[in-house]
Structures are given as structure tokens and as C-alpha cells.
Amino acid sequence: MKIVIPPGSGASSNGPYPEFLVGAEGFLYFATNFFDGKAVLWRSDGTEPGTVPVKSFPEVFAAIPRLTDLMPFGDKVFFMLDDPGTTGRELWFSDGTDSGTHLVKDLTPGPGDTWFNLVTRQGGQLTLFREWSPTPDGSQVELWRTDGTSLGTVRFRNFGPPVTLVPSSFEMGGVVNFFLSRPGQGTELWRTDGTANGTVLLKQLGASGTLGGPSLQTEGLFYFVLTSPGHGDTLWRTDGTANGTHALKSLGTTETFRQTLLQVGGLVLFVVTSPAQGTALWRTDGTTAGTSLAKKLDAQVVTFTHWTREGNQALFLFEDGANTEVWKSDGSPAGTVRLDAFGHHVYLLGVAGSKVLVYSPDYTTQRLRIQSLSLSGGGKSSVKTLPNPYANEPSAYPFLAWSTRINGRLYFAAGIGGTGPVAREVSLWVSDGTATGTLLLTNGINPGDEYVPPFFAISEDSILFVASAAATGLELWCTRGTLATTGLLQDLNPGPSGSIPQAFSYFGDRLYFRAFDETRSFQLWSMPAHLTCPTPLAPSP
């Protein structure tokens, strides 16, 4: 779309390249940072002539990246910039012009750096949460607000030392709820609307309690776990009011939360274990009366290998000795059932249609076996054993890199290990849950661990991803889920080097990304946000 990195600037996994892309009411802002400390703020309307540098900051000895953390504000943008020796790392603001780009305020006077734990927009301002230690007495938490001007940037609350901000804030109706912890006083729940009068203590949660364990935000409620020495874990809920903040279930010192909280329909499910009681599934509707045991799963404390939601039900696997059990639950006792059990360790591949697919690596034959069972229970059958052309070589063990469900089918990447950190091969497969519908699409997925290729739908039947062929290197590919509709979409950097497309972001009706091209650097590219894979495509290697 535009050459934003001067040819000859080089390229590496650390830059320079366009980064920190954000959309701001019809405009795209991004940064370019260079190894000599130079940084440039850019703005784009999505066209080459409309992609222009807003402000350049001259080279200086500074940590890279120097210009970071772009935050949209209407059609304008806030960002953090490090100016060592003068103001240090501070908040800046830009209206998209050179003259309208300026330091907001030197909150840490002199060359000291300012860091924010949380930044959120509330109405016509940004609310900034800052935790720092100005004195040896310990850290203090401050709340600031800014409209992008120095006069409009004020501290409206100082909680004083010693206090720490617990990293578990949440927003409800434009109000930010947050937790503070004070030595000897435990944890407090607060809320702020970005004003001094609107910053109030909702509830003191206990003199010795600390926030720990799982948490979950649902529509209108936030669930969290408070841990107290001598009392154990307690599940709480809050609706952002004092009266709506209360405990739901205390586990005591012998019981433990084992999994994340999982929303299923209007219920939240959680797992409780204890040496005496084993493993049990619980549910809550957000009320004390509606918090109850759904079903006891096992007399022993078991190890969960998967715990996820599929539609309006939970799907989970756990190991019971040498066996693996597959369960589903809608949160009711009758709807919590074991689908089947396997006499060996299996792992969840995903759900395709009405079938649950699991996989198991066989380290003797060095093959990956895929099996299925019905979501209704039973119907266990073998789907496919994936080939391994390196089975007789050292450390050529099969593994699953990732899996995802798109348009009712499972796409997954299966690899063959090597003697070092790079796999011998990673292949892309698709499955509808049947043997004939489980197909190899390409074996050109990047086998390294330094570049994670994208994989996402760009229309109802088309998927964009990055794969490699000997003649092209890593380039944009497309598939509609068959071998005939899988292939190279465009060779952005002709030749075997590849363009290594990465950092994809949607803005408006375009999909933006960076790619290595004939300039020998990563440049900004764009394509339609939605398209159907054209045919014919180059066949997979």
C-alpha cells in the first residue's frame, strides 16, 4: 500500500516495520520505529496518497520500540513516546497533524518514565490508572484523566502508599471497577466514572483476603475468587454496586477451584476438588440459592486436559488413571453426562458437526490417531491415522500444533518433531468428522517457532492463511476446505524468499498487514476485508 520503511533499513523479527496499528473513525494510525532511535507516527485513509507521516522524532539513544501503545480517541490518537534525557517515557496526543502532535504532560518530571497499569476511555476523556513508588513507603495508586491537553490532564484521586492495584479490573456501563490491596487490610472493590465524586469504595472484601484463582465477566455480573489464609477460597459476584457484591460459595481450606469459570447459557460452571470428596461440577446463576452441585464427576481428584464451551454446553476431558473420560454438561444434573471413555490418554481436537474428535499420539509407531464419538454419547469410531514419512528417524514424534473450527469443520495443523526446536514438517488438515472428509490440504505450514502464521475466515466459505512452497517461500494462501480450492493467493515477494505476512488487523472494509517485499523491508499492505478464494489457485506442494 505504501513504502513506509526506507529501502535498505533492513528487516528482522524486531523491526523496523509498521506496528501498533489502530483505527480511529475512518483513519488508520501506526508507528514505525528504527534501530537508531528514530520514530515516526503515521496516519492513513487507506490509500497510498492518503498514507502520510504525521510527525517524525529524530534519532536518539533509546529503547526500541520508542513510540508505542497507540490508543484511538475519536479521529485522533494518544500514544506513549520515550524521549530519554528530557521527559522520559510519557503520554502524547495527536490530531493527525504535525503541529497538533504534542506531549500531554510530564507526569514524572524530568527524565523519569511514566507507566500506566490501565487506560480506558470514559466519555470525552481518557482515565489513566498509575501505580508507582515516589517514596520508600511503598507503591501508591493514582487516577488521572486527560482530554489531550496539559490543563485538562489532572490527578483526581490518590490512594496513597502502601497500596497496589490488583490486575483484574472490569467495565460495566461506562464505569470501571477495580481492586486495591493494602497490607493488613486485604482487598477492596472500587468503581470510578472518571471523576473524583464518582470514585467510590463498593466493598471491603476482607482483612486478609487476596484476589486469586479464576474470574469471569458475564452480561451484568463479574465473578471472582477471594483467597483468605485459614479460610480458603470463596466465590464472589458483583454487579458493580455495594448491595450486589456478595459471596456465593465458601470452599474452606480442604477444597480448591480447579478450572476456569465457564459460562453456559445463563449459568456459570466451575469445578471443585478435595481429597475427601473427589471432583465435582458446580453451577451458579449468580445467586446464593442458585449456587449448587450439578454432579459429582469422580471419587478422586482428577486431572482435566480440556475444559471448554461448545454452543450452550460445556465439553471437558479428564484423566482417570490410564483412562480418559469425555463429558458434556448444560449445567443441570440430568444434562451432565459422560459421553464415553477411552482406555488410553486422548486429547480434544474439537467438534465437527455432531461429532467430538479426539487425538492420541502413538510414540511407538510415531503416528497421530484421530477418533470420534457422538455428542449424543457413544458412537466411538476411528477416523484416520495421519501418515508420518519420517517415522523411522530419531525424534520424529507427531504433535498437534493447533486446531480451530470454521463454518462447521475442523481445521488443524499436525506436525512431525525434529531433533531441534524446528519441526520437520507441519501440515494443514480439514475434517468434517468422517474418514473421507478428513483431508490433507498442504504440508507447507511454517515449522519454526519464531513465526506464528495467521489462519482466519475472510468470507462464509474462504479462509486466509500463510504457507510455504519451494518456489515462493511463506506467502498468502487461501482455501475453501478442499485440495482443489487450496493454493497460493498472491506472491507478494516473487522468488523463494517469501514475504512472511504478519500482524493482520481489520479496519473498515480493508485488512491491513505487513509483508517483506522487494524493498528488502517490511512494508504496509492491505487487501479487501472479505473475499472468496478465487479459482484456479496454485496447487499445494
Side-chain angles (χ1 to χ4, degrees):
M1 190 180 85
K2 181 87 170 186
I3 295 177
V4 298
I5 303 296
S9 298
S12 75
S13 59
N14 297 318
Y17 39 56
E19 56 187 330
F20 303 108
L21 281 69
V22 296
E25 293 188 359
F27 292 100
L28 174 72
Y29 287 89
F30 61 95
T32 52
N33 291 283
F34 298 87
F35 296 132
D36 61 5
K38 180 182 176 182
V40 183
L41 176 68
W42 292 77
R43 188 177 79 161
S44 175
D45 62 4
T47 67
E48 182 174 5
T51 302
V52 295
V54 175
K55 192 175 188 68
S56 295
F57 299 91
E59 61 184 72
V60 67
F61 184 75
I64 304 298
R66 181 185 173 196
L67 195 163
T68 64
D69 302 324
L70 276 66
M71 298 162 276
F73 191 77
D75 61 354
K76 305 170 180 63
V77 68
F78 286 90
F79 59 95
M80 300 300 294
L81 179 76
D82 187 8
D83 202 354
T86 54
T87 62
R89 183 182 188 271
E90 292 290 349
L91 183 67
W92 283 63
F93 176 80
S94 177
D95 64 0
T97 68
D98 184 287
S99 60
T101 302
H102 57 82
L103 172 71
V104 174
K105 199 166 195 172
D106 192 0
L107 298 188
T108 306
D113 296 336
T114 297
W115 299 86
F116 298 114
N117 301 67
L118 175 66
V119 178
T120 185
R121 182 170 181 175
Q122 293 184 295
Q125 67 177 34
L126 282 189
T127 300
L128 313 167
F129 287 69
R130 182 190 188 196
E131 181 178 347
W132 68 309
S133 301
T135 69
D137 296 331
S139 65
Q140 68 183 36
V141 174
E142 302 172 352
L143 300 187
W144 291 73
R145 65 171 178 263
T146 181
D147 60 4
T149 68
S150 179
L151 289 177
T153 302
V154 296
R155 186 179 67 184
F156 63 91
R157 188 65 188 253
N158 181 5
F159 293 96
V163 62
T164 57
L165 180 68
V166 180
S168 192
S169 61
F170 58 99
E171 294 188 40
M172 285 185 179
V175 174
V176 179
N177 299 264
F178 59 98
F179 298 88
L180 296 178
S181 178
R182 302 178 191 271
Q185 298 181 42
T187 301
E188 305 164 351
L189 175 60
W190 288 74
R191 59 177 287 163
T192 184
D193 62 2
T195 68
N197 291 336
T199 302
V200 295
L201 173 66
L202 289 180
K203 182 155 289 192
Q204 170 68 47
L205 300 176
S208 60
T210 58
L211 213 64
S215 62
L216 174 70
Q217 184 170 359
T218 65
E219 187 174 352
L221 289 177
F222 183 78
Y223 296 85
F224 59 95
V225 174
L226 198 69
T227 301
S228 301
H231 298 283
D233 293 343
T234 301
L235 177 66
W236 286 69
R237 55 139 276 180
T238 181
D239 61 3
T241 68
N243 290 335
T245 303
H246 57 80
L248 293 174
K249 177 174 174 56
S250 296
L251 298 187
T253 58
T254 62
E255 295 180 310
T256 305
F257 287 99
R258 288 299 296 267
Q259 301 302 122
T260 58
L261 304 176
L262 192 66
Q263 183 179 10
V264 174
L267 299 174
V268 171
L269 306 185
F270 56 98
V271 175
V272 175
T273 65
S274 73
Q277 298 297 322
T279 303
L281 179 69
W282 282 70
R283 64 177 185 175
T284 182
D285 61 4
T287 68
T288 304
T291 302
S292 61
L293 174 70
K295 181 164 285 189
K296 186 171 182 177
L297 303 176
D298 200 276
Q300 306 296 320
V301 175
V302 298
T303 300
F304 282 73
T305 57
H306 294 278
W307 168 257
T308 187
R309 183 178 67 185
E310 288 291 340
N312 288 321
Q313 61 187 358
L315 182 65
F316 51 95
L317 282 68
F318 62 78
E319 295 177 352
D320 186 9
N323 302 320
T324 301
E325 298 186 11
V326 183
W327 288 70
K328 71 173 183 179
S329 176
D330 61 6
S332 69
T336 302
V337 295
R338 191 182 77 167
L339 298 178
D340 217 319
F342 293 82
H344 56 282
H345 295 315
V346 300
Y347 306 94
L348 182 65
L349 183 62
V351 174
S354 61
K355 295 183 178 182
V356 180
L357 270 64
V358 298
Y359 72 95
S360 55
D362 187 324
Y363 295 112
T364 301
T365 64
Q366 296 184 322
R367 302 288 198 281
L368 197 71
R369 183 186 181 190
I370 299 175
Q371 296 171 273
S372 71
L373 63 156
S374 171
L375 266 173
S376 302
K380 187 164 57 176
S381 64
S382 179
V383 175
K384 189 178 285 283
T385 298
L386 304 188
N388 182 356
Y390 309 96
N392 296 323
E393 299 183 20
S395 303
Y397 299 115
F399 65 91
L400 181 75
W402 51 262
S403 67
T404 185
R405 184 175 62 187
I406 298 178
N407 299 328
R409 290 189 290 183
L410 272 177
Y411 292 85
F412 60 95
I416 307 298
T419 55
V422 178
R424 286 181 168 88
E425 179 180 282
V426 179
S427 303
L428 176 64
W429 292 75
V430 64
S431 179
D432 62 2
T434 68
T436 56
T438 301
L439 307 170
L440 172 66
L441 298 179
T442 176
N443 58 12
I445 302 300
N446 180 53
D449 57 358
E450 294 184 355
Y451 169 71
V452 179
F455 191 90
F456 53 90
I458 50 175
S459 69
E460 289 186 358
D461 66 348
S462 298
I463 296 167
L464 184 73
F465 65 104
V466 171
S468 179
T472 64
L474 288 167
E475 289 288 356
L476 285 177
W477 283 48
C478 200
T479 184
R480 285 192 246 169
T482 67
L483 188 61
T485 60
T486 300
L488 179 68
L489 179 63
Q490 187 170 341
D491 191 358
L492 303 180
N493 184 29
S497 297
S499 65
I500 322 175
Q502 54 192 258
F504 288 78
S505 299
Y506 282 105
F507 297 109
D509 59 356
R510 304 290 293 178
L511 179 62
Y512 294 85
F513 60 97
R514 60 180 182 242
F516 184 79
D517 59 21
E518 69 275 3
T519 66
R520 314 311 297 165
S521 294
F522 283 96
Q523 304 294 354
L524 183 65
W525 288 72
S526 76
M527 60 180 287
H530 305 286
L531 61 82
T532 298
C533 293
T535 53
L537 285 162
S540 58

